[in-house]
PDB file of all heavy atoms in Angstrom:
ATOM      1  N   PHE A   1       0.831  -1.201   0.000  1.00 77.00           N
ATOM      2  CA  PHE A   1       0.000   0.000   0.000  1.00 77.00           C
ATOM      3  C   PHE A   1       0.867   1.253   0.000  1.00 77.00           C
ATOM      4  O   PHE A   1       0.522   2.259  -0.617  1.00 77.00           O
ATOM      5  CB  PHE A   1      -0.950  -0.035   1.195  1.00 77.00           C
ATOM      6  CG  PHE A   1      -2.082   0.935   1.092  1.00 77.00           C
ATOM      7  CD1 PHE A   1      -3.002   0.839   0.064  1.00 77.00           C
ATOM      8  CD2 PHE A   1      -2.233   1.944   2.023  1.00 77.00           C
ATOM      9  CE1 PHE A   1      -4.059   1.733  -0.037  1.00 77.00           C
ATOM     10  CE2 PHE A   1      -3.283   2.839   1.927  1.00 77.00           C
ATOM     11  CZ  PHE A   1      -4.198   2.735   0.894  1.00 77.00           C
ATOM     12  N   GLY A   2       2.012   1.189   0.648  1.00 78.00           N
ATOM     13  CA  GLY A   2       2.933   2.323   0.661  1.00 78.00           C
ATOM     14  C   GLY A   2       3.413   2.692  -0.728  1.00 78.00           C
ATOM     15  O   GLY A   2       3.570   3.878  -1.043  1.00 78.00           O
ATOM     16  N   ASP A   3       3.637   1.683  -1.586  1.00 78.00           N
ATOM     17  CA  ASP A   3       4.041   1.955  -2.967  1.00 78.00           C
ATOM     18  C   ASP A   3       2.943   2.704  -3.707  1.00 78.00           C
ATOM     19  O   ASP A   3       3.204   3.628  -4.472  1.00 78.00           O
ATOM     20  CB  ASP A   3       4.349   0.654  -3.715  1.00 78.00           C
ATOM     21  CG  ASP A   3       5.605  -0.032  -3.202  1.00 78.00           C
ATOM     22  OD1 ASP A   3       6.401   0.618  -2.491  1.00 78.00           O
ATOM     23  OD2 ASP A   3       5.775  -1.225  -3.508  1.00 78.00           O
ATOM     24  N   TYR A   4       1.706   2.280  -3.473  1.00 80.00           N
ATOM     25  CA  TYR A   4       0.567   2.943  -4.102  1.00 80.00           C
ATOM     26  C   TYR A   4       0.494   4.409  -3.660  1.00 80.00           C
ATOM     27  O   TYR A   4       0.326   5.310  -4.480  1.00 80.00           O
ATOM     28  CB  TYR A   4      -0.731   2.204  -3.754  1.00 80.00           C
ATOM     29  CG  TYR A   4      -1.972   2.975  -4.115  1.00 80.00           C
ATOM     30  CD1 TYR A   4      -2.304   3.204  -5.442  1.00 80.00           C
ATOM     31  CD2 TYR A   4      -2.797   3.493  -3.133  1.00 80.00           C
ATOM     32  CE1 TYR A   4      -3.429   3.928  -5.780  1.00 80.00           C
ATOM     33  CE2 TYR A   4      -3.934   4.214  -3.465  1.00 80.00           C
ATOM     34  CZ  TYR A   4      -4.240   4.427  -4.786  1.00 80.00           C
ATOM     35  OH  TYR A   4      -5.354   5.147  -5.112  1.00 80.00           O
ATOM     36  N   ILE A   5       0.657   4.648  -2.360  1.00 84.00           N
ATOM     37  CA  ILE A   5       0.612   6.017  -1.839  1.00 84.00           C
ATOM     38  C   ILE A   5       1.734   6.849  -2.462  1.00 84.00           C
ATOM     39  O   ILE A   5       1.511   7.998  -2.851  1.00 84.00           O
ATOM     40  CB  ILE A   5       0.694   6.015  -0.296  1.00 84.00           C
ATOM     41  CG1 ILE A   5      -0.601   5.426   0.280  1.00 84.00           C
ATOM     42  CG2 ILE A   5       0.955   7.423   0.242  1.00 84.00           C
ATOM     43  CD1 ILE A   5      -0.576   5.193   1.764  1.00 84.00           C
ATOM     44  N   ASP A   6       2.930   6.263  -2.584  1.00 84.00           N
ATOM     45  CA  ASP A   6       4.036   6.978  -3.225  1.00 84.00           C
ATOM     46  C   ASP A   6       3.685   7.389  -4.655  1.00 84.00           C
ATOM     47  O   ASP A   6       3.992   8.499  -5.085  1.00 84.00           O
ATOM     48  CB  ASP A   6       5.305   6.118  -3.231  1.00 84.00           C
ATOM     49  CG  ASP A   6       5.927   5.970  -1.854  1.00 84.00           C
ATOM     50  OD1 ASP A   6       5.598   6.776  -0.951  1.00 84.00           O
ATOM     51  OD2 ASP A   6       6.744   5.044  -1.680  1.00 84.00           O
ATOM     52  N   GLU A   7       3.020   6.498  -5.391  1.00 83.00           N
ATOM     53  CA  GLU A   7       2.633   6.815  -6.768  1.00 83.00           C
ATOM     54  C   GLU A   7       1.598   7.937  -6.815  1.00 83.00           C
ATOM     55  O   GLU A   7       1.672   8.815  -7.673  1.00 83.00           O
ATOM     56  CB  GLU A   7       2.095   5.570  -7.470  1.00 83.00           C
ATOM     57  CG  GLU A   7       3.182   4.583  -7.814  1.00 83.00           C
ATOM     58  CD  GLU A   7       2.650   3.389  -8.581  1.00 83.00           C
ATOM     59  OE1 GLU A   7       1.547   3.478  -9.151  1.00 83.00           O
ATOM     60  OE2 GLU A   7       3.346   2.371  -8.609  1.00 83.00           O
ATOM     61  N   VAL A   8       0.631   7.889  -5.912  1.00 85.00           N
ATOM     62  CA  VAL A   8      -0.393   8.932  -5.880  1.00 85.00           C
ATOM     63  C   VAL A   8       0.255  10.274  -5.544  1.00 85.00           C
ATOM     64  O   VAL A   8      -0.035  11.288  -6.189  1.00 85.00           O
ATOM     65  CB  VAL A   8      -1.507   8.588  -4.863  1.00 85.00           C
ATOM     66  CG1 VAL A   8      -2.432   9.770  -4.640  1.00 85.00           C
ATOM     67  CG2 VAL A   8      -2.296   7.378  -5.331  1.00 85.00           C
ATOM     68  N   LEU A   9       1.147  10.294  -4.571  1.00 89.00           N
ATOM     69  CA  LEU A   9       1.817  11.540  -4.207  1.00 89.00           C
ATOM     70  C   LEU A   9       2.711  12.047  -5.335  1.00 89.00           C
ATOM     71  O   LEU A   9       2.794  13.257  -5.569  1.00 89.00           O
ATOM     72  CB  LEU A   9       2.629  11.345  -2.919  1.00 89.00           C
ATOM     73  CG  LEU A   9       1.788  11.158  -1.655  1.00 89.00           C
ATOM     74  CD1 LEU A   9       2.679  10.806  -0.472  1.00 89.00           C
ATOM     75  CD2 LEU A   9       0.945  12.391  -1.366  1.00 89.00           C
ATOM     76  N   ALA A  10       3.356  11.131  -6.040  1.00 88.00           N
ATOM     77  CA  ALA A  10       4.179  11.532  -7.189  1.00 88.00           C
ATOM     78  C   ALA A  10       3.309  12.176  -8.266  1.00 88.00           C
ATOM     79  O   ALA A  10       3.684  13.196  -8.858  1.00 88.00           O
ATOM     80  CB  ALA A  10       4.934  10.328  -7.748  1.00 88.00           C
ATOM     81  N   ALA A  11       2.144  11.606  -8.519  1.00 85.00           N
ATOM     82  CA  ALA A  11       1.214  12.190  -9.492  1.00 85.00           C
ATOM     83  C   ALA A  11       0.762  13.570  -9.032  1.00 85.00           C
ATOM     84  O   ALA A  11       0.635  14.493  -9.844  1.00 85.00           O
ATOM     85  CB  ALA A  11       0.019  11.258  -9.702  1.00 85.00           C
ATOM     86  N   ALA A  12       0.533  13.732  -7.740  1.00 87.00           N
ATOM     87  CA  ALA A  12       0.136  15.038  -7.203  1.00 87.00           C
ATOM     88  C   ALA A  12       1.266  16.057  -7.365  1.00 87.00           C
ATOM     89  O   ALA A  12       1.021  17.214  -7.738  1.00 87.00           O
ATOM     90  CB  ALA A  12      -0.263  14.908  -5.734  1.00 87.00           C
ATOM     91  N   ARG A  13       2.496  15.622  -7.109  1.00 90.00           N
ATOM     92  CA  ARG A  13       3.645  16.529  -7.282  1.00 90.00           C
ATOM     93  C   ARG A  13       3.785  16.983  -8.733  1.00 90.00           C
ATOM     94  O   ARG A  13       4.203  18.106  -9.002  1.00 90.00           O
ATOM     95  CB  ARG A  13       4.936  15.853  -6.826  1.00 90.00           C
ATOM     96  CG  ARG A  13       5.115  15.793  -5.333  1.00 90.00           C
ATOM     97  CD  ARG A  13       6.550  15.423  -4.940  1.00 90.00           C
ATOM     98  NE  ARG A  13       7.077  14.279  -5.647  1.00 90.00           N
ATOM     99  CZ  ARG A  13       6.971  13.005  -5.247  1.00 90.00           C
ATOM    100  NH1 ARG A  13       6.358  12.719  -4.123  1.00 90.00           N
ATOM    101  NH2 ARG A  13       7.498  12.031  -5.950  1.00 90.00           N
ATOM    102  N   ARG A  14       3.412  16.099  -9.677  1.00 87.00           N
ATOM    103  CA  ARG A  14       3.484  16.440 -11.097  1.00 87.00           C
ATOM    104  C   ARG A  14       2.229  17.203 -11.552  1.00 87.00           C
ATOM    105  O   ARG A  14       2.050  17.445 -12.732  1.00 87.00           O
ATOM    106  CB  ARG A  14       3.624  15.169 -11.941  1.00 87.00           C
ATOM    107  CG  ARG A  14       4.941  14.430 -11.759  1.00 87.00           C
ATOM    108  CD  ARG A  14       5.087  13.282 -12.744  1.00 87.00           C
ATOM    109  NE  ARG A  14       4.001  12.312 -12.685  1.00 87.00           N
ATOM    110  CZ  ARG A  14       3.993  11.203 -11.950  1.00 87.00           C
ATOM    111  NH1 ARG A  14       5.031  10.893 -11.196  1.00 87.00           N
ATOM    112  NH2 ARG A  14       2.949  10.388 -11.974  1.00 87.00           N
ATOM    113  N   ASP A  15       1.369  17.550 -10.601  1.00 88.00           N
ATOM    114  CA  ASP A  15       0.110  18.257 -10.883  1.00 88.00           C
ATOM    115  C   ASP A  15      -0.814  17.460 -11.793  1.00 88.00           C
ATOM    116  O   ASP A  15      -1.598  18.033 -12.545  1.00 88.00           O
ATOM    117  CB  ASP A  15       0.373  19.652 -11.477  1.00 88.00           C
ATOM    118  CG  ASP A  15       0.982  20.600 -10.468  1.00 88.00           C
ATOM    119  OD1 ASP A  15       0.658  20.476  -9.267  1.00 88.00           O
ATOM    120  OD2 ASP A  15       1.776  21.462 -10.875  1.00 88.00           O
ATOM    121  N   GLU A  16      -0.734  16.127 -11.722  1.00 82.00           N
ATOM    122  CA  GLU A  16      -1.616  15.276 -12.509  1.00 82.00           C
ATOM    123  C   GLU A  16      -2.912  14.993 -11.766  1.00 82.00           C
ATOM    124  O   GLU A  16      -3.881  14.542 -12.368  1.00 82.00           O
ATOM    125  CB  GLU A  16      -0.915  13.959 -12.866  1.00 82.00           C
ATOM    126  CG  GLU A  16       0.239  14.149 -13.822  1.00 82.00           C
ATOM    127  CD  GLU A  16       1.034  12.883 -14.050  1.00 82.00           C
ATOM    128  OE1 GLU A  16       0.657  11.817 -13.503  1.00 82.00           O
ATOM    129  OE2 GLU A  16       2.037  12.949 -14.763  1.00 82.00           O
ATOM    130  N   LEU A  17      -2.926  15.249 -10.464  1.00 81.00           N
ATOM    131  CA  LEU A  17      -4.149  15.125  -9.683  1.00 81.00           C
ATOM    132  C   LEU A  17      -4.069  16.049  -8.491  1.00 81.00           C
ATOM    133  O   LEU A  17      -2.992  16.415  -8.044  1.00 81.00           O
ATOM    134  CB  LEU A  17      -4.426  13.675  -9.259  1.00 81.00           C
ATOM    135  CG  LEU A  17      -3.445  12.964  -8.330  1.00 81.00           C
ATOM    136  CD1 LEU A  17      -3.938  13.079  -6.891  1.00 81.00           C
ATOM    137  CD2 LEU A  17      -3.396  11.504  -8.711  1.00 81.00           C
ATOM    138  N   THR A  18      -5.249  16.450  -8.023  1.00 87.00           N
ATOM    139  CA  THR A  18      -5.308  17.406  -6.915  1.00 87.00           C
ATOM    140  C   THR A  18      -6.032  16.839  -5.704  1.00 87.00           C
ATOM    141  O   THR A  18      -6.256  17.561  -4.743  1.00 87.00           O
ATOM    142  CB  THR A  18      -6.037  18.695  -7.360  1.00 87.00           C
ATOM    143  OG1 THR A  18      -7.354  18.344  -7.790  1.00 87.00           O
ATOM    144  CG2 THR A  18      -5.296  19.397  -8.478  1.00 87.00           C
ATOM    145  N   ASP A  19      -6.394  15.565  -5.770  1.00 87.00           N
ATOM    146  CA  ASP A  19      -7.175  14.973  -4.694  1.00 87.00           C
ATOM    147  C   ASP A  19      -6.520  13.700  -4.154  1.00 87.00           C
ATOM    148  O   ASP A  19      -7.172  12.674  -4.008  1.00 87.00           O
ATOM    149  CB  ASP A  19      -8.594  14.682  -5.175  1.00 87.00           C
ATOM    150  CG  ASP A  19      -8.627  13.732  -6.371  1.00 87.00           C
ATOM    151  OD1 ASP A  19      -7.566  13.476  -6.963  1.00 87.00           O
ATOM    152  OD2 ASP A  19      -9.718  13.234  -6.698  1.00 87.00           O
ATOM    153  N   ALA A  20      -5.233  13.782  -3.854  1.00 88.00           N
ATOM    154  CA  ALA A  20      -4.490  12.602  -3.402  1.00 88.00           C
ATOM    155  C   ALA A  20      -5.138  11.954  -2.182  1.00 88.00           C
ATOM    156  O   ALA A  20      -5.286  10.727  -2.127  1.00 88.00           O
ATOM    157  CB  ALA A  20      -3.030  12.966  -3.105  1.00 88.00           C
ATOM    158  N   HIS A  21      -5.533  12.750  -1.227  1.00 92.00           N
ATOM    159  CA  HIS A  21      -6.149  12.217  -0.011  1.00 92.00           C
ATOM    160  C   HIS A  21      -7.415  11.430  -0.348  1.00 92.00           C
ATOM    161  O   HIS A  21      -7.589  10.289   0.076  1.00 92.00           O
ATOM    162  CB  HIS A  21      -6.468  13.356   0.964  1.00 92.00           C
ATOM    163  CG  HIS A  21      -7.142  12.895   2.212  1.00 92.00           C
ATOM    164  ND1 HIS A  21      -8.511  12.961   2.371  1.00 92.00           N
ATOM    165  CD2 HIS A  21      -6.654  12.338   3.348  1.00 92.00           C
ATOM    166  CE1 HIS A  21      -8.831  12.472   3.559  1.00 92.00           C
ATOM    167  NE2 HIS A  21      -7.724  12.090   4.176  1.00 92.00           N
ATOM    168  N   ALA A  22      -8.290  12.025  -1.123  1.00 89.00           N
ATOM    169  CA  ALA A  22      -9.547  11.362  -1.491  1.00 89.00           C
ATOM    170  C   ALA A  22      -9.290  10.077  -2.275  1.00 89.00           C
ATOM    171  O   ALA A  22      -9.967   9.065  -2.058  1.00 89.00           O
ATOM    172  CB  ALA A  22     -10.419  12.310  -2.305  1.00 89.00           C
ATOM    173  N   ARG A  23      -8.315  10.086  -3.166  1.00 86.00           N
ATOM    174  CA  ARG A  23      -7.996   8.888  -3.958  1.00 86.00           C
ATOM    175  C   ARG A  23      -7.543   7.750  -3.070  1.00 86.00           C
ATOM    176  O   ARG A  23      -7.983   6.609  -3.221  1.00 86.00           O
ATOM    177  CB  ARG A  23      -6.900   9.182  -4.983  1.00 86.00           C
ATOM    178  CG  ARG A  23      -7.262  10.166  -6.036  1.00 86.00           C
ATOM    179  CD  ARG A  23      -7.936   9.482  -7.210  1.00 86.00           C
ATOM    180  NE  ARG A  23      -8.251  10.469  -8.209  1.00 86.00           N
ATOM    181  CZ  ARG A  23      -7.773  10.462  -9.441  1.00 86.00           C
ATOM    182  NH1 ARG A  23      -6.953   9.516  -9.816  1.00 86.00           N
ATOM    183  NH2 ARG A  23      -8.124  11.404 -10.279  1.00 86.00           N
ATOM    184  N   VAL A  24      -6.629   8.046  -2.149  1.00 87.00           N
ATOM    185  CA  VAL A  24      -6.105   6.997  -1.272  1.00 87.00           C
ATOM    186  C   VAL A  24      -7.201   6.463  -0.360  1.00 87.00           C
ATOM    187  O   VAL A  24      -7.351   5.244  -0.199  1.00 87.00           O
ATOM    188  CB  VAL A  24      -4.898   7.521  -0.450  1.00 87.00           C
ATOM    189  CG1 VAL A  24      -4.501   6.530   0.632  1.00 87.00           C
ATOM    190  CG2 VAL A  24      -3.716   7.799  -1.378  1.00 87.00           C
ATOM    191  N   ILE A  25      -7.982   7.350   0.221  1.00 90.00           N
ATOM    192  CA  ILE A  25      -9.066   6.922   1.113  1.00 90.00           C
ATOM    193  C   ILE A  25     -10.081   6.079   0.356  1.00 90.00           C
ATOM    194  O   ILE A  25     -10.516   5.026   0.833  1.00 90.00           O
ATOM    195  CB  ILE A  25      -9.738   8.145   1.787  1.00 90.00           C
ATOM    196  CG1 ILE A  25      -8.749   8.881   2.683  1.00 90.00           C
ATOM    197  CG2 ILE A  25     -10.984   7.727   2.561  1.00 90.00           C
ATOM    198  CD1 ILE A  25      -8.113   8.045   3.776  1.00 90.00           C
ATOM    199  N   GLU A  26     -10.467   6.511  -0.842  1.00 87.00           N
ATOM    200  CA  GLU A  26     -11.443   5.751  -1.618  1.00 87.00           C
ATOM    201  C   GLU A  26     -10.904   4.365  -1.988  1.00 87.00           C
ATOM    202  O   GLU A  26     -11.622   3.368  -1.892  1.00 87.00           O
ATOM    203  CB  GLU A  26     -11.844   6.494  -2.890  1.00 87.00           C
ATOM    204  CG  GLU A  26     -12.895   5.733  -3.675  1.00 87.00           C
ATOM    205  CD  GLU A  26     -13.341   6.442  -4.939  1.00 87.00           C
ATOM    206  OE1 GLU A  26     -13.031   7.630  -5.128  1.00 87.00           O
ATOM    207  OE2 GLU A  26     -14.003   5.781  -5.743  1.00 87.00           O
ATOM    208  N   THR A  27      -9.653   4.297  -2.372  1.00 84.00           N
ATOM    209  CA  THR A  27      -9.053   3.008  -2.724  1.00 84.00           C
ATOM    210  C   THR A  27      -9.012   2.082  -1.518  1.00 84.00           C
ATOM    211  O   THR A  27      -9.360   0.902  -1.621  1.00 84.00           O
ATOM    212  CB  THR A  27      -7.632   3.216  -3.284  1.00 84.00           C
ATOM    213  OG1 THR A  27      -7.721   4.042  -4.453  1.00 84.00           O
ATOM    214  CG2 THR A  27      -6.989   1.891  -3.652  1.00 84.00           C
ATOM    215  N   ALA A  28      -8.601   2.633  -0.371  1.00 87.00           N
ATOM    216  CA  ALA A  28      -8.540   1.814   0.849  1.00 87.00           C
ATOM    217  C   ALA A  28      -9.934   1.346   1.259  1.00 87.00           C
ATOM    218  O   ALA A  28     -10.130   0.172   1.595  1.00 87.00           O
ATOM    219  CB  ALA A  28      -7.894   2.608   1.981  1.00 87.00           C
ATOM    220  N   GLU A  29     -10.906   2.251   1.213  1.00 89.00           N
ATOM    221  CA  GLU A  29     -12.275   1.878   1.570  1.00 89.00           C
ATOM    222  C   GLU A  29     -12.831   0.821   0.626  1.00 89.00           C
ATOM    223  O   GLU A  29     -13.458  -0.136   1.050  1.00 89.00           O
ATOM    224  CB  GLU A  29     -13.199   3.102   1.547  1.00 89.00           C
ATOM    225  CG  GLU A  29     -13.210   3.881   2.815  1.00 89.00           C
ATOM    226  CD  GLU A  29     -14.363   4.884   2.837  1.00 89.00           C
ATOM    227  OE1 GLU A  29     -14.770   5.406   1.776  1.00 89.00           O
ATOM    228  OE2 GLU A  29     -14.861   5.131   3.939  1.00 89.00           O
ATOM    229  N   ARG A  30     -12.604   1.007  -0.671  1.00 86.00           N
ATOM    230  CA  ARG A  30     -13.115   0.047  -1.651  1.00 86.00           C
ATOM    231  C   ARG A  30     -12.550  -1.349  -1.371  1.00 86.00           C
ATOM    232  O   ARG A  30     -13.274  -2.339  -1.372  1.00 86.00           O
ATOM    233  CB  ARG A  30     -12.766   0.479  -3.071  1.00 86.00           C
ATOM    234  CG  ARG A  30     -13.257  -0.521  -4.122  1.00 86.00           C
ATOM    235  CD  ARG A  30     -12.929  -0.114  -5.538  1.00 86.00           C
ATOM    236  NE  ARG A  30     -13.761   1.006  -5.926  1.00 86.00           N
ATOM    237  CZ  ARG A  30     -13.294   2.220  -6.239  1.00 86.00           C
ATOM    238  NH1 ARG A  30     -12.009   2.454  -6.208  1.00 86.00           N
ATOM    239  NH2 ARG A  30     -14.110   3.178  -6.587  1.00 86.00           N
ATOM    240  N   GLU A  31     -11.265  -1.408  -1.101  1.00 85.00           N
ATOM    241  CA  GLU A  31     -10.633  -2.705  -0.819  1.00 85.00           C
ATOM    242  C   GLU A  31     -11.180  -3.300   0.481  1.00 85.00           C
ATOM    243  O   GLU A  31     -11.478  -4.497   0.559  1.00 85.00           O
ATOM    244  CB  GLU A  31      -9.113  -2.540  -0.743  1.00 85.00           C
ATOM    245  CG  GLU A  31      -8.366  -3.843  -0.634  1.00 85.00           C
ATOM    246  CD  GLU A  31      -8.464  -4.705  -1.883  1.00 85.00           C
ATOM    247  OE1 GLU A  31      -8.757  -4.196  -2.975  1.00 85.00           O
ATOM    248  OE2 GLU A  31      -8.247  -5.930  -1.754  1.00 85.00           O
ATOM    249  N   LEU A  32     -11.313  -2.476   1.504  1.00 90.00           N
ATOM    250  CA  LEU A  32     -11.830  -2.932   2.794  1.00 90.00           C
ATOM    251  C   LEU A  32     -13.247  -3.484   2.658  1.00 90.00           C
ATOM    252  O   LEU A  32     -13.544  -4.588   3.134  1.00 90.00           O
ATOM    253  CB  LEU A  32     -11.805  -1.783   3.811  1.00 90.00           C
ATOM    254  CG  LEU A  32     -12.370  -2.081   5.199  1.00 90.00           C
ATOM    255  CD1 LEU A  32     -11.542  -3.149   5.898  1.00 90.00           C
ATOM    256  CD2 LEU A  32     -12.409  -0.798   6.017  1.00 90.00           C
ATOM    257  N   PHE A  33     -14.113  -2.749   1.998  1.00 90.00           N
ATOM    258  CA  PHE A  33     -15.499  -3.183   1.853  1.00 90.00           C
ATOM    259  C   PHE A  33     -15.610  -4.399   0.934  1.00 90.00           C
ATOM    260  O   PHE A  33     -16.423  -5.290   1.184  1.00 90.00           O
ATOM    261  CB  PHE A  33     -16.386  -2.031   1.370  1.00 90.00           C
ATOM    262  CG  PHE A  33     -16.741  -1.085   2.476  1.00 90.00           C
ATOM    263  CD1 PHE A  33     -15.890  -0.039   2.817  1.00 90.00           C
ATOM    264  CD2 PHE A  33     -17.909  -1.247   3.201  1.00 90.00           C
ATOM    265  CE1 PHE A  33     -16.197   0.823   3.855  1.00 90.00           C
ATOM    266  CE2 PHE A  33     -18.227  -0.381   4.244  1.00 90.00           C
ATOM    267  CZ  PHE A  33     -17.370   0.648   4.574  1.00 90.00           C
ATOM    268  N   THR A  34     -14.801  -4.440  -0.101  1.00 88.00           N
ATOM    269  CA  THR A  34     -14.805  -5.601  -1.003  1.00 88.00           C
ATOM    270  C   THR A  34     -14.437  -6.865  -0.247  1.00 88.00           C
ATOM    271  O   THR A  34     -15.124  -7.891  -0.333  1.00 88.00           O
ATOM    272  CB  THR A  34     -13.809  -5.387  -2.161  1.00 88.00           C
ATOM    273  OG1 THR A  34     -14.226  -4.256  -2.920  1.00 88.00           O
ATOM    274  CG2 THR A  34     -13.736  -6.601  -3.076  1.00 88.00           C
ATOM    275  N   ARG A  35     -13.365  -6.794   0.506  1.00 88.00           N
ATOM    276  CA  ARG A  35     -12.908  -7.984   1.232  1.00 88.00           C
ATOM    277  C   ARG A  35     -13.857  -8.362   2.365  1.00 88.00           C
ATOM    278  O   ARG A  35     -14.106  -9.542   2.609  1.00 88.00           O
ATOM    279  CB  ARG A  35     -11.494  -7.766   1.758  1.00 88.00           C
ATOM    280  CG  ARG A  35     -10.484  -7.783   0.618  1.00 88.00           C
ATOM    281  CD  ARG A  35      -9.091  -7.477   1.101  1.00 88.00           C
ATOM    282  NE  ARG A  35      -8.170  -7.452  -0.003  1.00 88.00           N
ATOM    283  CZ  ARG A  35      -7.197  -8.322  -0.165  1.00 88.00           C
ATOM    284  NH1 ARG A  35      -6.995  -9.280   0.704  1.00 88.00           N
ATOM    285  NH2 ARG A  35      -6.393  -8.229  -1.196  1.00 88.00           N
ATOM    286  N   ALA A  36     -14.397  -7.361   3.050  1.00 91.00           N
ATOM    287  CA  ALA A  36     -15.325  -7.659   4.158  1.00 91.00           C
ATOM    288  C   ALA A  36     -16.567  -8.373   3.648  1.00 91.00           C
ATOM    289  O   ALA A  36     -16.983  -9.385   4.221  1.00 91.00           O
ATOM    290  CB  ALA A  36     -15.706  -6.374   4.894  1.00 91.00           C
ATOM    291  N   ILE A  37     -17.151  -7.890   2.549  1.00 90.00           N
ATOM    292  CA  ILE A  37     -18.378  -8.513   2.055  1.00 90.00           C
ATOM    293  C   ILE A  37     -18.079  -9.894   1.459  1.00 90.00           C
ATOM    294  O   ILE A  37     -18.891 -10.814   1.575  1.00 90.00           O
ATOM    295  CB  ILE A  37     -19.129  -7.589   1.059  1.00 90.00           C
ATOM    296  CG1 ILE A  37     -20.600  -8.014   0.937  1.00 90.00           C
ATOM    297  CG2 ILE A  37     -18.464  -7.556  -0.289  1.00 90.00           C
ATOM    298  CD1 ILE A  37     -21.421  -7.812   2.173  1.00 90.00           C
ATOM    299  N   GLN A  38     -16.908 -10.053   0.876  1.00 90.00           N
ATOM    300  CA  GLN A  38     -16.524 -11.378   0.368  1.00 90.00           C
ATOM    301  C   GLN A  38     -16.349 -12.365   1.520  1.00 90.00           C
ATOM    302  O   GLN A  38     -16.862 -13.478   1.471  1.00 90.00           O
ATOM    303  CB  GLN A  38     -15.222 -11.295  -0.438  1.00 90.00           C
ATOM    304  CG  GLN A  38     -15.387 -10.669  -1.796  1.00 90.00           C
ATOM    305  CD  GLN A  38     -14.057 -10.442  -2.489  1.00 90.00           C
ATOM    306  OE1 GLN A  38     -12.991 -10.496  -1.891  1.00 90.00           O
ATOM    307  NE2 GLN A  38     -14.114 -10.153  -3.787  1.00 90.00           N
ATOM    308  N   GLN A  39     -15.628 -11.946   2.553  1.00 92.00           N
ATOM    309  CA  GLN A  39     -15.375 -12.842   3.681  1.00 92.00           C
ATOM    310  C   GLN A  39     -16.639 -13.128   4.482  1.00 92.00           C
ATOM    311  O   GLN A  39     -16.764 -14.188   5.091  1.00 92.00           O
ATOM    312  CB  GLN A  39     -14.275 -12.266   4.578  1.00 92.00           C
ATOM    313  CG  GLN A  39     -12.919 -12.305   3.901  1.00 92.00           C
ATOM    314  CD  GLN A  39     -11.805 -11.732   4.744  1.00 92.00           C
ATOM    315  OE1 GLN A  39     -11.911 -11.667   5.967  1.00 92.00           O
ATOM    316  NE2 GLN A  39     -10.728 -11.298   4.103  1.00 92.00           N
ATOM    317  N   ALA A  40     -17.590 -12.195   4.450  1.00 92.00           N
ATOM    318  CA  ALA A  40     -18.869 -12.411   5.119  1.00 92.00           C
ATOM    319  C   ALA A  40     -19.846 -13.159   4.209  1.00 92.00           C
ATOM    320  O   ALA A  40     -21.007 -13.328   4.562  1.00 92.00           O
ATOM    321  CB  ALA A  40     -19.473 -11.080   5.556  1.00 92.00           C
ATOM    322  N   GLN A  41     -19.363 -13.578   3.056  1.00 91.00           N
ATOM    323  CA  GLN A  41     -20.155 -14.328   2.067  1.00 91.00           C
ATOM    324  C   GLN A  41     -21.444 -13.605   1.711  1.00 91.00           C
ATOM    325  O   GLN A  41     -22.513 -14.193   1.618  1.00 91.00           O
ATOM    326  CB  GLN A  41     -20.426 -15.741   2.560  1.00 91.00           C
ATOM    327  CG  GLN A  41     -19.151 -16.529   2.772  1.00 91.00           C
ATOM    328  CD  GLN A  41     -19.382 -17.886   3.384  1.00 91.00           C
ATOM    329  OE1 GLN A  41     -20.326 -18.093   4.134  1.00 91.00           O
ATOM    330  NE2 GLN A  41     -18.503 -18.819   3.065  1.00 91.00           N
ATOM    331  N   GLY A  42     -21.331 -12.280   1.535  1.00 90.00           N
ATOM    332  CA  GLY A  42     -22.464 -11.473   1.127  1.00 90.00           C
ATOM    333  C   GLY A  42     -23.371 -11.008   2.254  1.00 90.00           C
ATOM    334  O   GLY A  42     -24.317 -10.263   2.022  1.00 90.00           O
TER     335      GLY A  42
END
């Protein structure tokens, strides 16, 4: 996950995105909810 954060921050430094925080949070939440619902078998 740290590598992913480094890439998002690098993109922000290059002015390719302005919402690094929102991107990381959304990605983490999506993964968390995906795995939780899978492990809970729906």
Side-chain angles (χ1 to χ4, degrees):
F1 196 62
D3 291 344
Y4 168 68
I5 291 172
D6 288 343
E7 287 183 19
V8 170
L9 290 173
R13 283 194 312 270
R14 293 187 303 267
D15 291 327
E16 293 173 3
L17 63 96
T18 59
D19 59 348
H21 178 262
R23 296 273 181 119
V24 170
I25 296 303
E26 182 179 348
T27 300
E29 274 193 329
R30 179 180 288 117
E31 187 67 21
L32 178 64
F33 281 86
T34 298
R35 288 176 182 246
I37 200 67
Q38 286 173 345
Q39 290 179 22
Q41 299 175 330

